[in-house]
Amino acid sequence: MWKLLGEGLLRLDEQVAAIIPEFAPNGKETVTVEQVLTHTAGFPFAPLGYPKMLEREQRLAAFGRWRLDTPPGTRFQFHLTAAAWLIAEIVERRTGLPFADYLHERIARPLGLTSIELGVPVERQPGTVAPMTATDRTDDTQEPDPWGPWYLADPGSWRPANPATPWSPPPPTSPCTSRRWSTRACGSRRRWRRAPASG
């Protein structure tokens, strides 16, 4: 992205929907490139899992379905399942190259880094790519979590969006029914937040 910005092919204040019209529905038309890059775009848990992420048309359809959790620019929260896919599509729209090709042709190869490649074909992986280890399963009969890193399944790894709010782990007994804590489902993950005080 920084290369595109430096070459004048992209501006931080551009609205993502002006570049990717499919992204605009559900109030996202004001989201800027800068907000995506700084993880303040307002849709940190936008879903795009396997196998939908493999097909461009399905990714574009998912962009349109995403909804805002917060108004754009009002809260920093890592956009784990969303930002990278938008960045890849922005790169493709502005350069005409799929993201993996752009990375290889315009960044890695000119720097002499010919062994850096995104999406290494399976037949070339042995001896060049570290073997993948699923850390979200207890045995090989379980399907891996397509959402990503294992730590998302642990509610204790989440922190409040407002850093001024003290955080402590949820109570160990009946956390979903506790009067003090409530949960919000995010796919197979849970995000903990303080429940509103009862009167």
Side-chain angles (χ1 to χ4, degrees):
M1 294 296 280
W2 302 118
K3 185 168 173 51
L4 296 183
L5 291 164
E7 293 172 348
L9 296 174
L10 185 66
R11 292 187 336 269
L12 289 174
D13 63 350
E14 281 188 83
Q15 293 174 340
V16 174
I19 304 166
I20 308 169
E22 297 91 339
F23 173 75
N26 299 314
K28 301 185 306 290
E29 64 279 347
T30 63
V31 173
T32 66
V33 169
E34 181 176 22
Q35 290 165 341
V36 171
L37 293 175
T38 59
H39 298 275
T40 60
F43 47 92
F45 302 108
L48 183 55
Y50 179 86
K52 290 179 185 169
M53 65 177 145
L54 300 178
E55 299 292 330
R56 185 177 188 211
E57 291 308 313
Q58 290 193 49
R59 289 192 302 268
L60 294 174
F63 294 170
R65 289 190 301 270
W66 292 347
R67 297 184 182 281
L68 295 172
D69 292 324
T70 59
T74 62
R75 178 181 289 173
F76 168 80
Q77 194 165 9
F78 189 62
H79 286 49
L80 176 70
T81 60
W85 293 112
L86 284 175
I87 290 168
E89 186 63 28
I90 289 168
V91 167
E92 184 163 347
R93 300 267 174 134
R94 287 301 164 92
T95 67
L97 293 171
F99 184 72
D101 294 346
Y102 177 80
L103 177 66
H104 185 71
E105 299 295 324
R106 305 280 172 87
I107 297 175
R109 191 162 52 178
L111 292 171
L113 304 172
T114 55
S115 65
I116 294 179
E117 188 175 4
L118 187 62
V120 178
V122 173
E123 64 274 4
R124 290 202 338 256
Q125 290 180 12
T128 62
V129 176
M132 301 296 287
T133 302
T135 58
D136 60 345
R137 303 180 291 165
T138 56
D139 65 59
D140 288 338
T141 62
Q142 291 178 297
E143 289 292 320
D145 179 359
W147 283 97
W150 58 270
Y151 63 84
L152 292 176
D154 176 12
S157 68
W158 295 80
R159 298 294 183 266
N162 179 357
T165 304
W167 185 87
S168 60
T173 58
S174 303
C176 293
T177 59
S178 168
R179 289 186 314 179
R180 183 169 177 214
W181 296 93
S182 65
T183 60
R184 179 178 132 188
C186 293
S188 62
R189 306 177 307 266
R190 287 189 176 137
R191 178 174 58 180
W192 293 96
R193 61 180 170 79
R194 286 202 184 274
S198 57

